[in-house]
Amino acid sequence: MSDAQSLYAPNWLTRPDHPAELNRTIWTDSFQRNHGGELTIDGIAASELVEEFDTPQYVFSEDTFRARARGYRRAFEDAFARYGAQASVYYAGKSFLCTAVARWAHEEGLCLDTASGGELAIALRAQVPGQNIALHGNNKSYDEIKRAIKHGVGRVVVDSIDELKLITDVYAELCAESVAEGLEPYPAVPVLIRITPGVHASTHESIATAHEDQKFGMSLQPGTARLAGLEADELEYWSTTEDESYAMLAAGILAVTDSLEFRGIHCHIGSQIFEAQGFEQAADTALTFMHAVNQKYGLSLLELDLGGGYGIGYTEADTPRSIEQITVSIADAVAATCERLGMTIPHMSFEPGRSISGPSGVTLYTVGTIKNVSIEDEHGQIRVRRYVSVDGGMSDNARPVLYDADYTVTLANRAPVGEQVLSRVVGKHCESGDIVVRYCYLPADLQAGDILAVPATGAYCYVLGSNYNYLSRPPVIATSAGEAAHPIIRRQSEDEMLALDTGF
């Protein structure tokens, strides 16, 4: 790549010798090109999808989702079975959730991780059994906790001592109501406490969640128990002192609270992470703390959840590990730590979200205006960058503006042959930062009306979407080989979008 090119493109971007080829680090086998060079998703041509459902639209491959969900479940089960241990997989619904996806995850043997009352409502509407659902969140409301208890949610991941108190209060109220009606009281609420393992994951700061200075988890640092604001006699009642960690104080409270079933520990280091070391370090830290809790309070905690965060391919620069590499390396690290500590491997749980849903999705756009912009480089030479505008943008994919996320793109309605031109795909919003694909090569003969496909948009695109500039929300269209494409979330109409405006 020349010096001039490097001004306008990152070093990882290469001019494609075979632009019709689909990089299998990014595109799963659900995405192919037919004999005419057109992109197909589970055998359905992009032009057919656009003719029926218009653009922009998210296309979500049920086949890819199910294969990756099944792959994670089997791989984790097999990796830990080598050590005589068991593992469960919770699909992290925050990456993308609707009733169809919740059912697919459940049918593939996965549990479901929810992070709000709304996500919990979707899981319940999809008839996922309560015991197969987890409830996360750093600020759960009274109503969210009440719903979780009433529906027998299998575990609540507790993020603070204040939350422990709130759950205890809600539980007491519900049991009093139940007894007053002549019914049995509710069983103790199963909880995990979320710790902050202090692992600095190699990812964007906004999606790194294991360092001290952020909102999630309970600190393991000695002396942080004093941050709970309890008096000395209260600390003594919970068998701890100010010299202990905040997380150990929470464990002490749980050890003697009958209304809460202390099942184990949870930690999560972040998202879109490629290296194995962070996960292995987190496992060592969490297990060491778990062992200390067992020893101090005479417990035998049953479960450790190590979260998710496994990276996927968005561009040719990304190097995601295979499902097998991820699961085997984590199982080996857990087994080695447990052997060092002299403890039995607990029931292990994991929460892949993006790495299941992300590769399942692609967004289809229609090209509108195309503009060449002149830029003067450091040598005083005039260079050209081509801007390709599409009919969506930051309202359907906020990740580029939120996280400086990079994507790739391909021409979908025909083969991208001939000369390839360095381009930037942008949206139609009234923002200069409304960039869909920052750096890419697209055919020189690209024209208005062509269809572009942006892969790996199955995670954190629809769920982060908005009505910015009053664009209505696109549909999510499900595909499966041999089946007709159909909406699992329909397109929002303009009337629906404006219905919240009381003056409309």
Side-chain angles (χ1 to χ4, degrees):
M1 183 174 290
S2 70
D3 290 339
Q5 284 178 314
S6 68
L7 292 171
Y8 311 110
N11 292 330
W12 53 259
L13 184 69
T14 57
R15 187 185 298 273
D17 293 327
H18 305 284
E21 287 186 359
L22 301 176
N23 183 335
R24 291 304 168 191
T25 298
I26 304 166
W27 302 85
T28 73
D29 289 341
S30 287
F31 304 92
Q32 303 287 340
R33 289 196 184 272
N34 61 22
H35 294 302
E38 185 172 1
L39 182 72
T40 64
I41 301 108
D42 292 323
I44 305 172
S47 60
E48 295 178 27
L49 290 163
V50 171
E51 182 177 0
E52 184 171 2
F53 302 108
D54 205 355
T55 58
Q57 64 172 280
Y58 304 100
V59 187
F60 201 82
S61 168
E62 178 181 350
D63 292 354
T64 290
F65 182 91
R66 285 183 179 275
R68 293 187 69 82
R70 189 164 55 248
Y72 268 111
R73 178 180 60 78
R74 290 176 176 173
F76 270 121
E77 287 174 350
D78 292 346
F80 280 93
R82 295 180 300 133
Y83 296 104
Q86 294 181 322
S88 298
V89 175
Y90 284 72
Y91 170 62
K94 66 178 182 175
S95 68
F96 174 62
L97 192 62
C98 63
T99 53
V101 165
R103 291 190 192 104
W104 298 345
H106 178 57
E107 289 166 2
E108 294 301 334
L110 272 59
C111 298
L112 192 62
D113 174 55
T114 64
S116 71
E119 290 183 5
L120 177 56
I122 290 176
L124 295 171
R125 185 69 61 88
Q127 298 184 322
V128 177
Q131 67 266 25
N132 291 351
I133 302 173
L135 179 62
H136 268 277
N138 66 299
N139 187 30
K140 302 177 191 68
S141 69
Y142 173 94
D143 287 337
E144 287 170 335
I145 293 169
K146 182 177 180 180
R147 176 182 282 173
I149 296 172
K150 292 187 74 170
H151 287 278
V153 162
R155 59 183 189 173
V156 177
V157 180
V158 179
D159 204 80
S160 66
I161 289 174
D162 282 348
E163 188 178 307
L164 283 177
K165 296 176 181 177
L166 179 59
I167 296 172
T168 302
D169 290 344
V170 175
Y171 173 85
E173 290 180 22
L174 286 175
C175 284
E177 292 174 6
S178 182
V179 171
E181 294 172 3
L183 302 174
E184 291 291 322
Y186 288 89
V189 182
V191 301
L192 307 181
I193 60 172
R194 179 167 179 170
I195 62 169
T196 307
V199 177
H200 289 265
S202 300
T203 188
H204 191 281
E205 181 180 353
S206 296
I207 51 177
T209 59
H211 53 281
E212 287 289 320
D213 191 13
Q214 48 89 30
K215 69 177 187 176
F216 291 111
M218 306 190 203
S219 176
L220 299 180
Q221 294 298 313
T224 51
R226 61 182 172 78
L227 300 178
L230 300 181
E231 299 295 332
D233 58 339
E234 293 179 285
L235 291 171
E236 184 178 353
Y237 178 79
W238 303 120
S239 302
T240 191
T241 67
E242 286 190 342
D243 295 330
E244 287 282 13
S245 69
Y246 188 98
M248 187 61 80
L249 171 58
I253 294 171
L254 277 168
V256 295
T257 304
D258 293 338
S259 58
L260 305 179
E261 180 195 354
F262 188 11
R263 291 192 57 82
I265 308 300
H266 179 283
C267 72
H268 177 68
I269 64 173
S271 192
Q272 188 57 6
I273 301 167
F274 296 119
E275 296 84 1
Q277 290 84 354
F279 299 110
E280 294 167 3
Q281 183 182 342
D284 184 88
T285 300
L287 285 163
T288 300
F289 174 72
M290 191 173 186
H291 181 64
V293 169
N294 286 340
Q295 295 294 106
K296 181 176 177 64
Y297 297 110
L299 301 174
S300 183
L301 297 179
L302 300 175
E303 184 176 353
L304 172 62
D305 188 312
L306 289 177
Y310 320 122
I312 65 170
Y314 287 104
T315 72
E316 61 187 274
D318 294 327
T319 55
R321 296 183 296 155
S322 70
I323 292 174
E324 290 72 24
Q325 288 174 320
I326 291 167
T327 55
V328 168
S329 68
I330 292 176
D332 289 348
V334 167
T337 299
C338 286
E339 183 177 8
R340 174 176 62 80
L341 295 171
M343 63 183 288
T344 301
I345 298 175
H347 186 106
M348 302 297 301
S349 297
F350 302 91
E351 300 169 359
R354 177 203 312 263
S355 52
I356 294 175
S357 61
S360 304
V362 64
T363 307
L364 300 181
Y365 300 101
T366 298
V367 173
T369 60
I370 299 175
K371 182 192 300 183
N372 291 327
V373 177
S374 62
I375 303 171
E376 184 176 344
D377 68 17
E378 70 268 29
H379 304 295
Q381 295 180 315
I382 301 300
R383 303 293 180 182
V384 174
R385 172 177 286 144
R386 182 172 67 168
Y387 277 73
V388 177
S389 296
V390 296
D391 54 350
M394 62 190 294
S395 61
D396 58 72
N397 188 353
R399 293 190 68 254
V401 71
L402 285 177
Y403 309 127
D404 297 320
D406 286 316
Y407 284 83
T408 190
V409 64
T410 192
L411 179 61
N413 58 299
R414 56 189 173 93
V417 296
E419 180 187 1
Q420 304 296 303
V421 178
L422 188 63
S423 304
R424 175 166 291 174
V425 180
V426 295
K428 64 178 293 174
H429 296 280
C430 192
E431 295 280 348
S432 59
D434 179 25
I435 296 171
V436 179
V437 182
R438 202 174 308 275
Y439 306 107
C440 60
Y441 282 98
L442 286 169
D445 66 351
L446 191 74
Q447 56 190 342
D450 275 332
I451 302 168
L452 298 184
V454 177
T457 58
Y460 299 108
C461 290
Y462 183 87
V463 294
L464 283 173
S466 72
N467 290 121
Y468 184 48
N469 288 154
Y470 278 88
L471 268 66
S472 57
R473 301 284 299 274
V476 182
I477 309 301
T479 60
S480 181
E483 303 289 336
H486 61 281
I488 51 176
I489 299 178
R490 61 176 173 77
R491 185 180 296 278
Q492 182 187 39
S493 71
E494 191 172 86
D495 284 346
E496 289 170 328
M497 178 176 60
L498 297 176
L500 298 178
D501 184 338
T502 60
F504 177 66

